[in-house]
Amino acid sequence: PAPPIDADASLGTVTVDELTVNGSATLQGDITTAADQHYGGAVTAAADVILDAGSGTVSFGSTLDGTTADAESVTVTASTTTFSGAVGGGTRLDVLTVTNAARVDGGRIDARTQSYGSLEIGAATTLSGNSVGITGATTQSGTHALTLDATTASLGAVTVNQLTANGSTTLNGNVTTGGAQQYVDLELGADTTLTASSVTVTGATTQSGTRTLTIAAATSSLGAMTVGKLTVNGTATLNGDVSTSDTQQYANVVLGADRQLTAAGSSDVDITGTLTGAHGLCGDAGGTTRLRGAVNIDSLTTGTGGGTEIGGNVTTSGGQVYGNAVTLAGDAVLTAGTDGVDFQSTVVGAYALSVNTSGQTRFQGVVGSGTGAALTSLATDAGGHTRLGADLTTRRAQAYGRALPPD
């Protein structure tokens, strides 16, 4: 191997077995070695350069900068490339390409375009530029946060302590963090699971193809979403409409604004826990909209397709409109304001139903018809009016606070 260079060096094109520069280095040409390249001092790229170490390693012990902002490109081909100092902190690179594995210990890389085969961070790290692409896995040595301060980013599988993506991010693998994950706009390039203490997507979530998104977090805050299938564990605050071609399943839902949940075909919308928030919800599932827990919102509307399953009490300050067939999965008390409660189709289920509203309770379809479909009992309060549009069957008492003539 060539002897180490223990002084500052300005290098043109170099082809040697191995290269070590212990001083600062100005690179004006490509460097090709059969084995390792090590740069101990500050490195400046004075031209577009390719550092090719074959199956060896390339390590930068200090900083790496360009000469003119957004002008120089550095391409590194090696088994592993290690950046111990900041990159582009003095003068930003135009393009930084690491074809295989990169390890970042210096905390920050500034390059207009960045691409890596895989990435390991050994410190809290910020990747800043117009675009960042990581084809393989992103991991950590220790416990560290990764910030993508880029207009666009494309990621494979990610395992870090915390992830913040400030632009539009495409995910091609699962993302696992011990802490929070925060995104602006999100695109799914593959079926994806986000595992975190909390997940926030302030913008839209979309997909390339038809993808499944699973969010395993204690809390999540989500904007508009269009995906194939959606499962959200924990408590989800919905700040945008959600549309899926397959099922939607939530634990607890908080409405951050008036929202619509649309599940195409024969797919279901399933809320296994509570549904709360001072806003209205429209559930439009081709299959079944399941409200298994207590509901306390402004208003509730279900579409004319599919059905609605009610397993707990439903309270609205405004009205409730059930456009499709309703099945009781437990005793239920429906409480609404002056806009009333409107059953536009059938109601079945061997449970007790009580409706309390200062407006009108309207049964437009048959109630309790079919084997095992009769309600246990039915009661409406005296504050509003009850209008019956078809036959009604219960196994026990029916009590009407104030009935109007049939339709």
Side-chain angles (χ1 to χ4, degrees), residues 21 29 101 160 166 220 258 274 276 294 304:
V21 181
V160 295
N166 293 323
S220 57
D258 292 345
T274 59
T276 59
T304 56

Side-chain angles (χ1 to χ4, degrees), residues 126-228:
T126 297
L127 306 181
S128 176
N130 289 6
S131 68
V132 172
I134 305 171
T135 305
T138 298
T139 58
Q140 60 185 348
S141 175
T143 304
H144 306 293
L146 175 62
T147 300
L148 303 175
D149 195 8
T151 305
T152 62
S154 178
L155 306 176
V158 178
T159 303
V160 295
N161 186 54
Q162 183 174 316
L163 176 64
T164 302
N166 293 323
S168 178
T169 305
T170 298
L171 297 181
N172 298 301
N174 298 331
V175 180
T176 302
T177 57
Q181 297 177 31
Q182 184 166 337
Y183 307 90
V184 180
D185 293 320
L186 194 61
E187 181 183 44
L188 306 181
D191 294 345
T192 302
T193 298
L194 307 181
T195 303
S197 61
S198 65
V199 172
T200 300
V201 184
T202 58
T205 298
T206 58
Q207 60 186 347
S208 174
T210 302
R211 309 298 182 186
T212 296
L213 176 61
T214 301
I215 299 176
T219 60
S220 57
S221 179
L222 307 173
M225 309 183 75
T226 302
V227 297

Side-chain angles (χ1 to χ4, degrees), residues 226-296:
T226 302
V227 297
K229 183 178 182 180
L230 176 65
T231 301
V232 184
N233 303 322
T235 298
T237 297
L238 301 183
N239 299 304
D241 296 336
V242 180
S243 178
T244 58
S245 56
D246 206 323
T247 60
Q248 300 176 33
Q249 184 168 343
Y250 307 88
N252 301 309
V253 171
V254 178
L255 301 178
D258 292 345
R259 296 278 63 96
Q260 178 165 327
L261 308 182
T262 303
S266 59
S267 302
D268 300 337
V269 172
D270 192 350
I271 302 175
T272 61
T274 59
L275 169 61
T276 59
H279 301 284
L281 176 68
C282 177
D284 189 8
T288 302
T289 299
R290 291 187 173 90
L291 306 173
R292 299 175 186 261
V295 176
N296 193 337

Side-chain angles (χ1 to χ4, degrees), residues 11-14 26-31 47-51:
L11 304 175
T13 301
V14 175
T26 298
L27 306 182
Q28 303 184 64
D30 299 340
I31 310 293
D48 295 345
V49 296
I50 298 174
L51 309 181

